[in-house]
């Protein structure tokens, strides 16, 4: 589906950036102070050189020149040392901020309502987790510190130039219009231009891989010429897209160069003119010109990193957007009176306007075995997910002990009702971690008891490291049946009074199925069970059977009652029984 997760607006991005910066005032200020100190040490050179020029003009000794050179060398060394520490501190700060950003993002992503993740597709979330986090990492680690240094350097250099004489402001100001016009012209076109360029690369790639992968088909159907023509078209488009961005650069870079040159030339000219009038000394003209020339580098960096920062801001906006998904739960703090699960006039749609449940009501007795049967696509799984509180109903409510499932904190909810499916993920970590997920406070005895309850003691006790064995990706691989047992043991630990089973064991290979069936039976014992029955014999053993057809419960009663009633269930039973 095409709905994507939201993207934060500029204001929230700036607000968040400020808040991040404020979390580490000490690091931030030390980094800034060090950068300022480093910049100041580099600013001594033009002054010293200016003085030297003046001294030479009026006559000086070689000893004086040597001394000035020594002082200069001292400043160069000091600047190198300060720069080193300034960078070190900003890197530490960058890593800290990045780590916090990642943590914020992970907790936001984990708090996303399941329904939202499903409808947005995991692709969007994945892109944000990988590409946007990378982009932002690059910005925070490199672009932001470099940019800060450039700004600090530019401001201080400009200040130093002004300290030589106010007249320097004029030549500098003359460079600004070209800079601003060139920059605006470029930035307003660059993004689309470069996006189009990379899109054409993707297209060439797509056509190429498609042709190579489908080489036989291409040959068999005589499509070679057609594919070559398509590739030619793609290359042509790519050529024009590149021509365009090249054109942008051929205008932009000279414009920038020009705007850098104007101030230097004008400073020299103005300074020369003032010198001939006797208003300034030769040393001042030298220092001013050197300062203005020194401005070029930081200004150039400010300009070129701006692009990078914009991309970083865009990524941050996408990462923060995840936090803006409205929560579909509203914890009220009410406590359930008992363990009775009820659905009342529940409607639900995955896609707005297309309900798949049309007003389902179902009272499940405590300790009851309820089977749900019906044709595929009727809405059984959907109803199961609603009964387990995975999706909130669009209208109507699902309650446990009179309290809506959406009102319970997620941790509490899982202690009441849980969904059991075949998706049993083994998380990377120790076996203990994998089980303790369900009950963070559980001790080893409880964990082992849970494993024992699902009949897993055998293989667990054969593990060299026992509960400390690392499982999941990168660790010991568990078989499908073992993974399922771990999932079941988690349920024992979470200890919900009601379970919704969706195809719990049907895909497990038959040899382990029997074994698992026993583990499952142990877990089900003493709990209310709503089983989505894909095999009718499990319906036969249930206390009651609910027939779901086209998003409504059409029949409800015991197996015998429904067979006697001669409706859909009776027909299903006949055809199944007749066969089996
Ligand atoms: P059953 O379990 O009875 O086979 P489901 O509850 O899986 O039925 O599906 C009910 C209807 O909801 C079907 O029309 C199905 O296509 C639709 N549906 C199920 N899951 C989704 C989903 N994630 N997004 C959109 N539609 C869905």
């Amino acid at each position: 589906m095409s709905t994507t997760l939201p993207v934060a607006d500029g204001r929230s991005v700036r607000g968040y950036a400020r808040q991040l910066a404020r979390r580490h005032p000490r690091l931030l200020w030390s980094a800034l102070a060090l950068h300022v100190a480093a910049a100041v040490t580099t600013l001594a050179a033009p002054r010293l050189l200016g003085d030297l020029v003046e001294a030479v003009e009026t006559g000086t000794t070689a000893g004086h020149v040597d001394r000035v050179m020594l002082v200069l060398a001292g400043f160069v060394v000091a600047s190198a040392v300060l720069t080193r520490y300034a960078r070190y501190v900003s890197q530490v700060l960058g890593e800290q901020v990045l780590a916090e950003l990642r943590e914020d993002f992970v907790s936001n992503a984990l708090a996303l309502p399941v329904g939202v993740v499903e409808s947005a597709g995991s692709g969007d979330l994945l892109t944000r987790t990988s590409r946007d986090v990378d982009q932002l990492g690059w910005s925070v680690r490199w672009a932001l510190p470099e940019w800060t240094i450039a700004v600090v350097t530019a401001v201080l250099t400009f200040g130093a130039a002004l300290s030589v004489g106010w007249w320097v402001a004029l030549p500098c100001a003359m460079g600004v219009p070209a800079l601003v016009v060139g920059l605006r012209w470029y930035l307003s076109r660059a993004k689309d231009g470069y996006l189009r360029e990379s899109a054409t690369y993707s297209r060439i790639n797509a056509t190429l891989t498609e042709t190579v992968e489908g080489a036989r088909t291409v040959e068999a159907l005589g499509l070679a010429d057609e594919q070559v023509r398509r590739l030619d078209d793609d290359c042509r488009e790519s050529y024009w897209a590149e021509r365009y961005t090249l054109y942008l650069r051929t205008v932009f870079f000279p414009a920038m160069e020009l705007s850098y040159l104007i101030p230097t030339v004008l400073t020299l000219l103005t300074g020369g003119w003032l010198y001939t009038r006797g208003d300034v000394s030769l040393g001042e003209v030298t220092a001013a010109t050197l300062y203005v020339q020194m401005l070029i580098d930081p200004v150039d960096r400010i300009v070129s990193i701006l692009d990078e920062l914009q991309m970083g801001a865009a990524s941050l906006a996408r990462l923060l957007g995840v936090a803006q998904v409205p929560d579909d739960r509203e914890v009220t703090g009410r406590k359930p009176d008992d363990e009775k699960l009820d659905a009342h006039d529940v409607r639900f749609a995955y896609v707005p306007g297309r309900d798949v449940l049309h007003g389902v009501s179902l009272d499940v007795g405590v300790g009851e075995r309820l089977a749900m049967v019906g044709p595929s696509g009727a809405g059984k799984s959907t109803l199961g997910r609603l009964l387990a509180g995975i999706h909130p109903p669009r209208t109507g409510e699902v309650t446990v002990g009179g309290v809506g499932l959406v009102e319970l904190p997620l941790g509490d909810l899982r202690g009441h009702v849980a969904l059991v499916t075949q998706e049993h993920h083994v998380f990377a970590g120790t076996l203990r971690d994998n089980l303790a997920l369900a009950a963070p406070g559980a001790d080893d005895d409880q964990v082992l008891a849970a494993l024992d309850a699902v009949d897993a003691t055998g293989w667990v006790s054969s593990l060299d490291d026992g509960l400390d064995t690392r499982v999941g990706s990168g660790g010991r691989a568990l078989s499908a049946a073992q993974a399922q047992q771990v999932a079941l043991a988690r349920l024992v630990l979470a200890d919900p009074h009601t379970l919704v089973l969706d195809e719990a064991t049907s895909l497990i290979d038959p040899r382990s199925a029997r074994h698992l069936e026993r583990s499952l039976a142990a877990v089900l014992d003493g709990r209310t069970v709503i089983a989505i029955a894909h095999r009718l014999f499990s319906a036969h053993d249930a206390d009651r059977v609910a027939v779901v057809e086209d998003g409504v419960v059409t029949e409800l009663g015991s197996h015998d009652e429904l067979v006697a009633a001669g409706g859909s269930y009776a027909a299903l039973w006949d055809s199944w029984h007749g066969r089996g």
Side-chain angles (χ1 to χ4, degrees):
M1 240 153 288
S2 57
T3 38
T4 49
L5 299 165
V7 173
D9 61 9
R11 256 191 51 203
S12 8
V13 171
R14 283 190 295 274
Y16 184 78
R18 268 198 301 276
Q19 185 206 328
L20 267 184
R22 267 194 230 121
R23 283 193 213 166
H24 303 284
R26 267 198 33 209
L27 274 178
L28 185 69
W29 287 116
S30 345
L32 268 180
L34 282 164
H35 282 309
V36 168
V40 167
T41 49
T42 59
L43 290 176
R47 267 301 171 112
L48 288 171
L49 286 175
D51 291 348
L52 202 60
V53 168
E54 215 163 290
V56 171
E57 193 193 19
T58 54
T60 182
T61 62
H64 176 68
V65 175
D66 286 348
R67 268 199 304 284
V68 173
M69 279 319 186
L70 217 60
V71 175
L72 241 164
F75 273 114
V76 170
V77 172
S79 138
V81 172
L82 282 169
T83 306
R84 189 246 170 221
Y85 282 103
R87 275 175 199 263
Y88 175 76
V89 175
S90 7
Q91 290 276 329
V92 171
L93 177 66
E95 292 300 329
Q96 288 249 2
V97 167
L98 208 57
E100 281 164 23
L101 248 159
R102 281 213 201 92
E103 277 166 18
D104 284 359
F105 175 70
V106 167
S107 59
N108 288 334
L110 289 180
L112 279 177
V114 182
V116 172
V117 178
E118 279 183 356
S119 68
S122 52
D124 190 17
L125 199 57
L126 269 185
T127 315
R128 294 185 193 214
T129 333
S130 51
R131 229 189 53 115
D132 286 323
V133 168
D134 279 351
Q135 172 64 49
L136 194 65
W138 174 248
S139 297
V140 169
R141 284 201 184 101
W142 178 81
L144 202 57
E146 286 299 313
W147 200 73
T148 317
I149 296 171
V151 170
V152 168
T153 314
V155 168
L156 287 176
T157 311
F158 186 60
L162 287 186
S163 77
V164 175
W166 288 102
W167 56 273
V168 184
L170 192 73
C172 289
M174 302 298 272
V176 172
L179 188 75
V180 171
V181 170
L183 199 58
R184 289 185 66 129
W185 181 85
Y186 179 74
L187 286 184
S188 65
R189 288 167 178 75
K191 197 168 139 226
D192 289 344
Y194 285 109
L195 279 181
R196 206 178 74 187
E197 194 182 274
S198 40
T200 63
Y201 295 154
S202 312
R203 253 200 311 279
I204 293 180
N205 265 331
T207 310
L208 264 182
T209 32
E210 183 190 282
T211 313
V212 172
E213 279 170 7
R216 278 163 206 272
T217 319
V218 169
E219 217 167 62
L221 298 182
L223 294 176
D225 289 344
E226 166 70 11
Q227 289 304 99
V228 169
R229 200 188 51 72
R230 276 182 54 194
L231 205 58
D232 279 346
D233 284 350
D234 291 343
C235 290
R236 197 168 305 116
E237 263 184 61
S238 182
Y239 169 79
W240 284 111
E242 286 201 38
R243 277 281 298 248
Y244 179 70
T245 56
L246 185 64
Y247 155 71
L248 293 183
R249 289 192 297 272
T250 54
V251 175
F252 178 62
F253 288 126
M256 290 299 103
E257 292 294 327
L258 198 66
S259 68
Y260 300 154
L261 265 183
I262 292 172
T264 319
V265 171
L266 285 184
T267 309
L268 209 54
L269 286 177
T270 322
W273 178 66
L274 289 173
Y275 174 69
T276 54
R277 284 173 38 123
D279 290 340
V280 297
S281 69
L282 199 55
E284 284 172 328
V285 178
T286 311
T289 313
L290 286 176
Y291 279 134
V292 172
Q293 215 177 13
M294 273 174 74
L295 260 177
I296 295 179
D297 179 54
V299 169
D300 189 44
R301 271 187 290 152
I302 292 175
V303 168
S304 51
I305 298 173
L306 220 52
D307 236 11
E308 200 74 44
L309 283 183
Q310 263 188 338
M311 283 188 327
S315 289
L316 183 57
R318 286 161 53 81
L319 291 182
L320 290 184
V322 173
Q324 294 183 340
V325 175
D327 200 357
D328 60 359
R329 317 183 51 80
E330 192 186 337
V331 175
T332 56
R334 285 169 62 205
K335 295 267 175 270
D337 300 331
D338 54 33
E339 300 184 347
K340 213 167 132 12
L341 191 67
D342 288 330
H344 179 70
D345 197 19
V346 164
R347 288 165 202 275
F348 179 79
Y350 289 101
V351 188
R354 289 232 307 270
D355 277 0
V356 294
L357 295 180
H358 309 279
V360 175
S361 297
L362 198 61
D363 292 357
V364 188
V366 175
E368 182 176 19
R369 301 278 138 126
L370 180 81
M372 265 200 266
V373 300
S376 140
K380 302 181 296 292
S381 296
T382 307
L383 181 56
R385 292 164 71 91
L386 261 72
L387 289 172
I390 306 242
H391 297 297
R394 183 174 68 73
T395 63
E397 55 176 359
V398 182
T399 56
V400 60
V403 179
L405 295 187
V406 288
E407 298 174 50
L408 298 171
L410 271 181
D412 287 7
L413 172 64
R414 294 292 158 250
H416 290 288
V417 44
L419 180 72
V420 187
T421 68
Q422 294 165 54
E423 293 170 30
H424 35 62
H425 188 70
V426 178
F427 294 91
T430 64
L431 189 57
R432 183 188 291 102
D433 293 340
N434 260 282
L435 290 156
L437 283 176
D443 58 27
D444 278 11
D445 287 345
Q446 285 166 304
V447 170
L448 288 171
L451 284 168
D452 190 43
V454 299
D455 226 359
T457 313
W459 62 268
V460 171
S461 59
S462 76
L463 296 175
D464 288 341
D465 296 326
L467 289 179
D468 290 318
T469 307
R470 298 200 73 81
V471 293
S473 86
R476 195 193 141 93
L478 297 185
S479 72
Q482 289 170 340
Q484 182 91 44
Q485 282 180 326
V486 168
L488 289 174
R490 263 187 220 134
L491 279 180
V492 174
L493 282 171
D495 196 23
H497 52 70
T498 301
L499 289 174
V500 180
L501 298 189
D502 196 351
E503 298 184 294
T505 54
S506 60
L507 272 190
I508 300 285
D509 83 280
R511 269 169 305 137
S512 46
R514 173 101 39 94
H515 189 65
L516 272 179
E517 209 82 45
R518 274 212 311 275
S519 311
L520 184 62
V523 176
L524 300 189
D525 191 40
R527 300 178 209 272
T528 309
V529 178
I530 300 153
I532 297 168
H534 296 268
R535 294 155 300 169
L536 283 187
F537 67 80
S538 37
H540 177 250
D541 299 331
D543 297 323
R544 279 193 305 165
V545 178
V547 181
V548 181
E549 286 170 304
D550 275 336
V552 286
V553 174
T554 49
E555 294 172 27
L556 183 64
S558 71
H559 169 82
D560 293 338
E561 284 165 10
L562 292 190
V563 169
S568 311
Y569 182 76
L572 268 175
W573 179 256
D574 273 352
S575 67
W576 184 77
H577 214 236
R579 262 193 289 127

